[in-house]
Amino acid sequence: MKAAVYTKYGPPEVLQLREVPAPTPRGNEILVRVRASTVTSGTIWARSGRHPTPGFSLLLRLAFGIRAPRRQILSYELAGEVEAVGGDVTRFAVGDRVYGTTTGLAAGAYAEYVCVPEEWRQGVTAKMPAEISYAEAAAVPIGAMTALHLLGDAADDGDGQRVLIYGASGSVGSYAVQLALGRGTTVTAVCGPAHVDLVRSIGAAEVIDYTAGDFTRRGDEYDLIFDAVGKISRSQVAGLLAKGGRYRSFKSPTSERAEYLAQPSALLAGGELRALIDRTYPLEEIAEAHRYVELGHKGGNVAIEIGGEAAR
Ligand SMILES: NC(=O)c1ccc[n+]([C@@H]2O[C@H](COP(=O)([O-])OP(=O)(O)OC[C@H]3O[C@@H](n4cnc5c(N)ncnc54)[C@H](OP(=O)(O)O)[C@@H]3O)[C@@H](O)[C@H]2O)c1
């Protein structure tokens, strides 16, 4: 099968298209014909071996390999169809359209095929909503699960709650805006000038361009401030928190759980949640896709098409 393989950390060019043996599903695994994957900032860090937060690069190398990546096929999100199932699989059948993550597994999704267990501790697999494309489905799991995990029970009493989402145009941020709105809150979103209309299109009541002045001086108050991109600290926004208000940051550890994916699945099927796709690149242009995401200004998500069927 065709896969983007990397044997050393470095710039986007370390991702090389190669022919490698296709995997075979064991007992509780399904073999997925991958149709779409993504480029997230997590994928960028795993490729470069570097993390923007001081001290985190060592942790990253401990997890992924000190000198070179242990797992040579990257990417944590996928959507595709089940091609074969292991003997112990009960939840999936050949032909099912599935999506999920590859967290903690031996190989990622920049490949024509990947094996994933039907259940495991670190990641999730589920049937994808019939209403969306493979590219949209691949762009959901990590961003939406992170947004749900960080929202937690904050703002779940909905009405009257004022929520500020900082970094609203990213993957996590765009899901956080929509999920918080779904709880009946009033959402103020902060993003860059190029994405004001995009963020307005997903329903934010007010959109603030962070280049147009210091929004922390506006004298507004929020019950929840959610930093979706790690660009603002608690102390910078402390003065905007209402009494009893909460601050949540993407730097908290993410948890992947089946119930976190079940909730967006239902909302996507009902059209109440949208996966924003900024650009789609074929696997052959994986280095170009990484270069674009590395600029730090993707609007929503960047999808990778594998085998020419991502829009299906
Ligand atoms: N805790 C976890 O385990 C976990 C899990 C998943 C993701 N994450 C992290 O969550 C973060 C969000 O990921 P992502 O994919 O949504 O976004 P991302 O790709 O890291 O960032 C892109 C977004 O950052 C925004 N941005 C850039 N500079 C900014 C600034 N100075 N102020 C405000 N926004 C700025 C851009 O918006 P504009 O172009 O509009 O400026 C763009 O939408 C990432 O760091 C990701 O790795 C963490």
Side-chain angles (χ1 to χ4, degrees), residues 41 45 146 166 169-172 192 195 210 228 250 252 254 296-298:
S41 22
W45 304 333
T146 303
Y166 190 83
S169 53
S171 177
V172 176
H195 292 131
Y210 61 73
F250 89 101
S252 328
T254 295
H297 291 283
K298 67 179 160 69

Side-chain angles (χ1 to χ4, degrees), residues 39-50:
V39 187
T40 63
S41 22
T43 338
I44 300 285
W45 304 333
R47 189 214 72 227
S48 63
R50 283 202 300 238

Side-chain angles (χ1 to χ4, degrees), residues 263-278:
Q263 193 174 328
S265 287
L267 296 170
L268 288 157
E272 296 144 73
L273 185 69
R274 269 169 60 205
L276 302 179
I277 304 294
D278 179 343

Side-chain angles (χ1 to χ4, degrees), residues 15-83:
L15 295 166
Q16 300 279 325
L17 221 56
R18 297 217 186 128
E19 280 297 324
V20 299
T24 308
R26 287 178 298 192
N28 71 335
E29 291 179 341
I30 58 175
L31 176 69
V32 181
R33 169 88 169 91
V34 184
R35 298 296 188 182
S37 184
T38 57
V39 187
T40 63
S41 22
T43 338
I44 300 285
W45 304 333
R47 189 214 72 227
S48 63
R50 283 202 300 238
H51 193 284
T53 308
F56 277 41
S57 293
L58 177 61
L59 296 175
L60 188 142
R61 294 281 183 127
L62 287 170
F64 296 133
I66 297 285
R67 289 179 187 284
R70 276 192 290 274
R71 162 181 160 150
Q72 298 186 342
I73 300 178
L74 248 184
S75 185
Y76 301 97
E77 295 179 300
L78 70 106
E81 66 209 51
V82 177
E83 183 94 1

Side-chain angles (χ1 to χ4, degrees), residues 137-158:
V140 170
I142 291 182
M145 286 193 289
T146 303
L148 268 175
H149 179 70
L150 294 181
L151 282 172
D153 62 357
D156 65 357
D157 45 354

Side-chain angles (χ1 to χ4, degrees), residues 119-295:
E119 263 172 52
W120 77 110
R121 196 172 54 81
Q122 297 107 312
V124 287
T125 307
K127 288 182 191 159
M128 61 180 250
E131 294 79 2
I132 62 174
S133 69
Y134 287 123
E136 290 166 322
V140 170
I142 291 182
M145 286 193 289
T146 303
L148 268 175
H149 179 70
L150 294 181
L151 282 172
D153 62 357
D156 65 357
D157 45 354
D159 271 358
Q161 295 277 302
R162 297 152 298 173
V163 178
L164 178 94
I165 313 273
Y166 190 83
S169 53
S171 177
V172 176
S174 59
Y175 290 118
V177 168
Q178 297 177 79
L179 293 166
L181 283 168
R183 294 179 181 191
T185 66
T186 303
V187 173
T188 300
V190 184
C191 65
H195 292 131
V196 169
D197 290 342
L198 179 74
V199 173
R200 204 167 273 135
S201 79
I202 53 173
E206 188 181 8
V207 184
I208 300 172
D209 167 4
Y210 61 73
T211 65
D214 182 355
F215 75 95
T216 65
R217 293 173 180 271
R218 290 161 42 111
D220 302 329
E221 274 201 340
Y222 301 96
D223 302 294
L224 172 67
I225 298 181
F226 184 126
D227 174 15
V229 286
K231 304 273 185 192
I232 198 153
S233 66
R234 186 192 179 95
S235 59
Q236 281 172 283
V237 292
L240 303 183
L241 279 174
K243 193 162 181 291
R246 298 194 234 185
Y247 166 82
R248 295 273 163 92
S249 163
F250 89 101
K251 287 179 183 164
S252 328
T254 295
S255 169
E256 297 188 17
R257 296 195 207 152
E259 64 266 29
Y260 283 160
L261 197 52
Q263 193 174 328
S265 287
L267 296 170
L268 288 157
E272 296 144 73
L273 185 69
R274 269 169 60 205
L276 302 179
I277 304 294
D278 179 343
R279 296 184 181 187
T280 301
Y281 293 83
L283 185 63
E284 291 72 15
E285 293 173 23
I286 190 69
E288 194 51 44
H290 271 239
R291 248 175 248 123
Y292 177 65
V293 172
E294 217 154 24
L295 297 174

